Amino acid sequence: MADRNDVTGAERNKMADEHTDETHESHKLNETGKADGTGKSGNQPRQSHKTFHGLEPLPVPKSFPGIPSLKDGSISKATVITAVVALLIGALVGYGMRNPVDSSEYKAISGQLADAQNSLTTTKDQLDTTKDKLKDEQTHSEELEEDNDTLNSQVTSLTTERDKLNETIKQLTPNVNPGSNPIEIQDIKDMGAEYGYREIEFTVKSNVAAILTSVSIQFQIVDGNGNISRSDSAGAYSVVLNPGKTTVATTFTEDRGYGKGSKIMPVKWTYRVQNGSYTDGDYGEGVKTGEIK
């Protein structure tokens, strides 16, 4: 027998394959039970593994998932180990892909998503609050517009009423002219002469802020040369002359044949207030005058 160190690798592989074939054949006979032609397994003595210089080679399967058959001895043990390692790595990678929740990137993105969801919820709540406030403000604005329309209508009505009251007050308020004479001459008329007397009428207006009971006007008749032909007075007595109102003071003066063109010139005024005393004053320049017909 040759020394075990003299056996080459090729011879060793060949002997291992022969041993593997014999072992497979023995297993096959035990499984089918037809080696003796009876169809029964019987108690076949188990064939022991052959030894190779004192070593018992492990049985090698004909095939391995994902690895080509080793029967022909064309694939080395290094190739087998490499294929097994590749399968394990693939399984680990597949496991990692099936469980992404364990990755730090997934956890980081999950945290960002949770923060975004919280921000979205908060923003929606703020938006709802703002919408409620806007709705309240809109309702309040509509109420204010209604109040404004009502107030505008009231202002228009009150303005119309005020104008009417002003007109009424204007009619009731004395048309007093403080800048003029208290007894203002508005018109002088020569009513003509009859039976040696000439009737003259003075229309006067009271600028006194009190009720007058009498008014008198002193006047002169002046000819064309400026000479005084006659001095006399005209009066309105036992009257009720309200402020701003007018009355007529009348006189029948002696007719002395005044020449045409002679003027009637008021000189002085006198009045008496109701339940009071007399007041008088002089007319100045610019007083209204009349003419003898």
Side-chain angles (χ1 to χ4, degrees), residues 242-291:
N242 292 313
K245 299 302 179 179
T246 62
T247 189
V248 176
T250 305
T251 185
F252 288 91
T253 185
E254 183 181 359
D255 183 16
R256 297 180 180 181
Y258 308 113
K260 200 170 184 178
S262 297
K263 292 184 178 181
I264 304 170
M265 299 185 61
V267 177
K268 192 175 180 126
W269 51 263
T270 302
Y271 68 82
R272 182 184 181 187
V273 298
Q274 192 175 29
N275 301 323
S277 59
Y278 289 93
T279 301
D280 57 23
D282 297 329
Y283 287 110
E285 294 182 359
V287 66
K288 188 175 181 63
T289 62
E291 290 185 0

Side-chain angles (χ1 to χ4, degrees), residues 187-222:
D187 192 18
I188 300 174
K189 289 181 179 180
D190 177 12
M191 305 302 293
E194 189 176 4
Y195 303 110
Y197 290 90
R198 184 174 295 272
E199 181 181 6
I200 300 175
E201 293 183 352
F202 295 84
T203 301
V204 297
K205 171 188 171 184
S206 173
N207 287 323
V208 180
I211 297 176
L212 306 182
T213 57
S214 67
V215 175
S216 65
I217 304 296
Q218 294 182 16
F219 64 93
Q220 294 174 343
I221 297 177
V222 180

Side-chain angles (χ1 to χ4, degrees), residues 109-121:
I109 294 176
S110 297
Q112 294 176 1
L113 178 60
D115 293 340
Q117 183 63 40
N118 292 334
S119 298
L120 178 60
T121 302

Side-chain angles (χ1 to χ4, degrees), residues 43-63:
N43 293 324
Q44 298 293 332
R46 185 173 181 178
Q47 184 176 357
S48 62
H49 297 293
K50 293 181 179 180
T51 61
F52 179 73
H53 296 285
L55 296 178
E56 293 183 1
L58 295 176
V60 180
K62 294 181 179 181
S63 63

Side-chain angles (χ1 to χ4, degrees), residues 12-237:
R12 188 179 294 120
N13 288 337
K14 182 177 180 181
M15 294 176 67
D17 290 339
E18 292 175 353
H19 174 74
T20 300
D21 292 339
E22 293 176 357
T23 302
H24 285 174
E25 186 66 24
S26 175
H27 289 172
K28 183 176 180 181
L29 291 175
N30 289 334
E31 291 174 358
T32 59
K34 297 180 180 180
D36 56 0
T38 63
K40 296 182 180 180
S41 61
N43 293 324
Q44 298 293 332
R46 185 173 181 178
Q47 184 176 357
S48 62
H49 297 293
K50 293 181 179 180
T51 61
F52 179 73
H53 296 285
L55 296 178
E56 293 183 1
L58 295 176
V60 180
K62 294 181 179 181
S63 63
F64 189 86
I67 302 177
S69 175
L70 303 178
K71 183 176 181 180
D72 56 2
S74 61
I75 299 178
S76 66
K77 293 181 180 181
T79 303
V80 173
I81 294 173
T82 301
V84 171
V85 171
L87 287 175
L88 291 175
I89 293 175
L92 291 175
V93 172
Y95 177 79
M97 294 179 63
R98 289 193 299 271
N99 295 274
V101 295
D102 293 333
S103 65
S104 59
E105 183 180 5
Y106 179 87
K107 292 179 180 179
I109 294 176
S110 297
Q112 294 176 1
L113 178 60
D115 293 340
Q117 183 63 40
N118 292 334
S119 298
L120 178 60
T121 302
T122 301
T123 303
K124 284 184 177 180
D125 293 339
Q126 293 176 350
L127 178 61
D128 292 339
T129 301
T130 302
K131 286 182 178 180
D132 292 339
K133 289 182 179 180
L134 180 61
K135 184 176 181 180
D136 293 339
E137 290 296 333
Q138 184 175 1
T139 301
H140 183 60
S141 177
E142 292 176 354
E143 293 175 352
L144 289 177
E145 288 181 359
E146 292 178 358
D147 292 342
N148 184 63
D149 293 339
T150 301
L151 290 174
N152 283 334
S153 178
Q154 292 178 353
V155 167
T156 301
S157 178
L158 289 174
T159 301
T160 303
E161 184 177 357
R162 182 202 62 186
D163 293 341
K164 291 181 179 179
L165 290 174
N166 282 335
E167 184 63 26
T168 302
I169 290 174
K170 184 177 180 181
Q171 294 176 359
L172 295 176
T173 300
N175 184 17
V176 176
N177 185 6
S180 183
N181 293 303
I183 304 302
E184 181 182 351
I185 303 297
Q186 289 192 332
D187 192 18
I188 300 174
K189 289 181 179 180
D190 177 12
M191 305 302 293
E194 189 176 4
Y195 303 110
Y197 290 90
R198 184 174 295 272
E199 181 181 6
I200 300 175
E201 293 183 352
F202 295 84
T203 301
V204 297
K205 171 188 171 184
S206 173
N207 287 323
V208 180
I211 297 176
L212 306 182
T213 57
S214 67
V215 175
S216 65
I217 304 296
Q218 294 182 16
F219 64 93
Q220 294 174 343
I221 297 177
V222 180
D223 62 18
N225 295 323
N227 298 317
I228 298 175
S229 301
R230 177 73 176 167
S231 294
D232 206 340
S233 65
Y237 306 100

